[in-house]
Amino acid sequence: DVPPEEQQPGDWSISIDSALLREFTIAFADSALDLQASMHNFSGHVAFWQSDSFHITISAAGGCFSSPWWRDSVDSLYGSGISTFSEANLSRFFIATDASFLQGTGIIPFQAEGSLSAHFTLASSLEPLPQSLLNGPEPSGSFTARVEASGELLRPVLFFTLTSPELSFRGFTADSLYLRGVYTEQDSLNAEVFLFSSFGNLSATLFSYLPQLFTRPHVAGYDLLVAIPSLQVAPVLNQIGLNIPGVKGNASVRLSAQGEGVTRPPEEAMLQMAISETGSAPIDTVYIEAMLQNEQWWFSSLAGRGNVIGGRGSIDRNGNVGGMVDGDLKRPGVFTAFFLEKPLKGEIAFSGELGGSIV
């Protein structure tokens, strides 16, 4: 035996060429964000190429994902690529669920300030949308979304498009939908929406300040403009349960709104509407204009020659409304032709107060 004080370090070295993990379960939960995810039968293979570089392959069969905005069961997962201790370069990645298929490639950093460069495509039906978001009949249809991501991991730049050949949501059916936009490193969202349906076509532009997109997203401010050049009035009224036999024709609508959050009334809003070719009633065009500014609202409408209805009042940030409405109908037969299908002669003047909540 060699005394300890005379022992010398050996020339031993240990080299690991690969490692294999098989059939284990991964689970994640964040109660604050109401996120839950799990993957079963998870397997991984790692082949070490250099001291700081290795090839990795992962796969799983079965699992689930639940969040306030998406819920689905996972059928399979697969990914392969080259990884270092700072980033992963995915050559192939996909997740197949009961209702959707997500695939992507690119560089994913492991640090918040790391450089992101990736592409993702999601093809899905609307079934994974939680019922809490719908408040009505289940939607139907499908969509394809494409995202190009760059910038930093927690401050990304996202270019995205979304297309849908047919979409039914809350009783309304769209023949096609197209959305495109960009989310910048300044947490701003710029988007355009184009919707085509048998009721009419819609275009909208949206600017929104949307911080903490991947942690605690919230709408800190928005500016919305919606334009509908020709909307068929009768089918829309019938869809929401208002069947007025005398109403026909088309409406042009322009709506702008600015505000903060999605649960509060907008801070400023303007609505302009003109309804023409109103059917059998003795009226050519109905004009409606309404405005909200500094928690004060007003509206006015002109229907036919000499029929004026207006109102004014206040609305607070909680949606509590108060005010008054008045009207001077020089030709009330315009309205009775709509609702009673009978003419009415004379004049009508009225006024009243209103109050309640819209949220």
Side-chain angles (χ1 to χ4, degrees), residues 89-233:
N89 190 340
L90 298 177
S91 58
R92 189 185 183 197
F93 174 79
F94 73 80
I95 298 177
T97 75
D98 289 348
S100 58
F101 185 82
L102 171 68
Q103 59 182 336
T105 61
I107 298 174
I108 310 296
F110 300 145
Q111 299 177 349
E113 297 78 15
S115 296
L116 174 67
S117 178
H119 299 78
F120 296 95
T121 300
L122 172 65
S124 177
S125 70
L126 297 183
E127 294 177 2
L129 289 173
Q131 189 65 31
S132 59
L133 292 179
L134 306 178
N135 295 323
E138 290 187 4
S140 62
S142 61
F143 68 89
T144 300
R146 295 178 173 86
V147 178
E148 179 181 340
S150 60
E152 297 180 357
L153 182 63
L154 293 184
R155 299 188 69 84
V157 177
L158 305 175
F159 291 90
F160 58 90
T161 62
L162 185 148
T163 58
S164 175
E166 185 175 356
L167 194 66
S168 179
F169 187 73
R170 294 189 178 181
F172 290 91
T173 299
D175 298 328
S176 63
L177 171 70
Y178 177 71
L179 182 151
R180 65 187 178 194
V182 57
Y183 180 83
T184 72
E185 63 268 28
Q186 286 80 31
D187 299 330
S188 64
L189 172 67
N190 293 273
E192 293 180 299
V193 181
F194 302 92
L195 184 147
F196 306 92
S197 73
S198 59
F199 297 145
N201 301 330
L202 176 149
S203 64
T205 59
L206 170 67
F207 171 81
S208 177
Y209 180 53
L210 192 65
Q212 298 178 304
L213 179 64
F214 294 114
T215 53
R216 298 179 183 274
H218 60 281
V219 179
Y222 66 87
D223 192 331
L224 174 67
L225 175 62
V226 179
I228 307 176
S230 181
L231 178 68
Q232 295 187 35
V233 178

Side-chain angles (χ1 to χ4, degrees), residues 178-336:
Y178 177 71
L179 182 151
R180 65 187 178 194
V182 57
Y183 180 83
T184 72
E185 63 268 28
Q186 286 80 31
D187 299 330
S188 64
L189 172 67
N190 293 273
E192 293 180 299
V193 181
F194 302 92
L195 184 147
F196 306 92
S197 73
S198 59
F199 297 145
N201 301 330
L202 176 149
S203 64
T205 59
L206 170 67
F207 171 81
S208 177
Y209 180 53
L210 192 65
Q212 298 178 304
L213 179 64
F214 294 114
T215 53
R216 298 179 183 274
H218 60 281
V219 179
Y222 66 87
D223 192 331
L224 174 67
L225 175 62
V226 179
I228 307 176
S230 181
L231 178 68
Q232 295 187 35
V233 178
V236 174
L237 293 179
N238 292 337
Q239 193 67 50
I240 62 177
L242 295 177
N243 186 8
I244 306 176
V247 175
K248 299 180 181 179
N250 301 313
S252 63
V253 181
R254 181 181 176 88
L255 170 67
S256 62
Q258 301 85 40
E260 178 180 341
V262 295
T263 60
R264 300 174 178 175
E267 296 175 0
E268 296 185 13
M270 167 74 78
L271 172 66
Q272 296 172 309
M273 180 184 298
I275 306 174
S276 59
E277 301 176 6
T278 49
S280 59
I283 179 175
D284 297 324
T285 305
V286 176
Y287 297 98
I288 301 173
E289 188 172 76
M291 177 177 285
L292 171 65
Q293 188 175 31
N294 298 326
E295 298 188 359
Q296 302 293 314
W297 60 267
W298 68 265
F299 81 92
S300 65
S301 63
L302 175 64
R305 299 180 181 88
N307 293 321
V308 179
I309 301 175
R312 68 204 65 84
S314 63
I315 177 172
D316 63 22
R317 295 174 66 87
N318 297 321
N320 299 313
V321 181
M324 62 182 304
V325 177
D326 53 56
D328 186 5
L329 309 182
K330 302 296 186 183
R331 302 175 62 199
V334 166
F335 299 99
T336 59

Side-chain angles (χ1 to χ4, degrees), residues 22-27 38-42:
R22 279 185 181 173
E23 297 183 357
F24 60 97
T25 298
I26 295 178
S38 65
M39 293 302 303
H40 309 301
N41 299 317
F42 192 93

